[in-house]
Amino acid sequence: MVTISPVGLATAPVANQVSFLATFKEKLCHCVCSTSSNQPQATVTYRNEVPTLNGTTVFVPIVATITIVTPGCGCNAVTQVINERFVVAFQGITTLPASVTITQSGMTQGLIKIVCGKSNCYAVNSSLVVSIPAAAA
């Protein structure tokens, strides 16, 4: 599951750029002890699909590929690859952009929904900036 939230900016907003937090909550293949030093690790990569123009708004579909490696018993780690899709929009645009740039600004991750010291739920918080060329405005 993905949740998108706006983020506060340290500087004035930039035209043709949107900043937000993408939170991914995923179910692990098995429970992990929250006090273990051998915790799951996630990576996230992003790509955009073909933007569409509707009126004066450009919609840019984004695909996030989340790879979570969960330690197993002994040496059998489990790797999960999960694709999540969401859309960002740019208003006041009259042409499709020539390109889309996706930049990850930072990321945190960890177990969530811990019960009795164990969990099979993992969250990744990824701070992103998506931008299109100013010529598209």
Side-chain angles (χ1 to χ4, degrees):
M1 179 180 90
V2 62
T3 305
I4 304 299
S5 307
V7 296
L9 299 173
T11 59
V14 177
N16 299 325
Q17 178 176 300
V18 61
S19 299
F20 58 94
L21 175 69
T23 300
F24 305 99
K25 295 180 182 176
E26 307 298 345
K27 187 170 182 176
L28 300 174
C29 291
H30 58 79
C31 285
V32 175
C33 179
S34 65
T35 59
S36 171
S37 60
N38 201 7
Q39 294 293 308
Q41 291 296 311
T43 58
V44 183
T45 58
Y46 297 93
R47 67 178 170 82
N48 66 283
E49 294 181 330
V50 179
T52 58
L53 177 65
N54 187 350
T56 59
T57 302
V58 170
F59 295 90
V60 180
I62 306 288
V63 178
T65 301
I66 303 109
T67 303
I68 304 172
V69 178
T70 305
C73 298
C75 61
N76 297 329
V78 176
T79 300
Q80 294 174 255
V81 179
I82 303 148
N83 288 315
E84 297 280 10
R85 288 177 163 71
F86 57 93
V87 177
V88 296
F90 295 89
Q91 297 175 340
I93 306 294
T94 57
T95 60
L96 286 171
S99 63
V100 175
T101 303
I102 305 168
T103 306
Q104 186 172 340
S105 301
M107 186 174 87
T108 64
Q109 58 185 294
L111 294 172
I112 58 172
K113 299 182 182 178
I114 298 169
V115 177
C116 296
K118 297 188 298 185
S119 177
N120 68 340
C121 296
Y122 204 69
V124 177
N125 297 295
S126 181
S127 180
L128 296 172
V129 176
V130 178
S131 57
I132 58 176

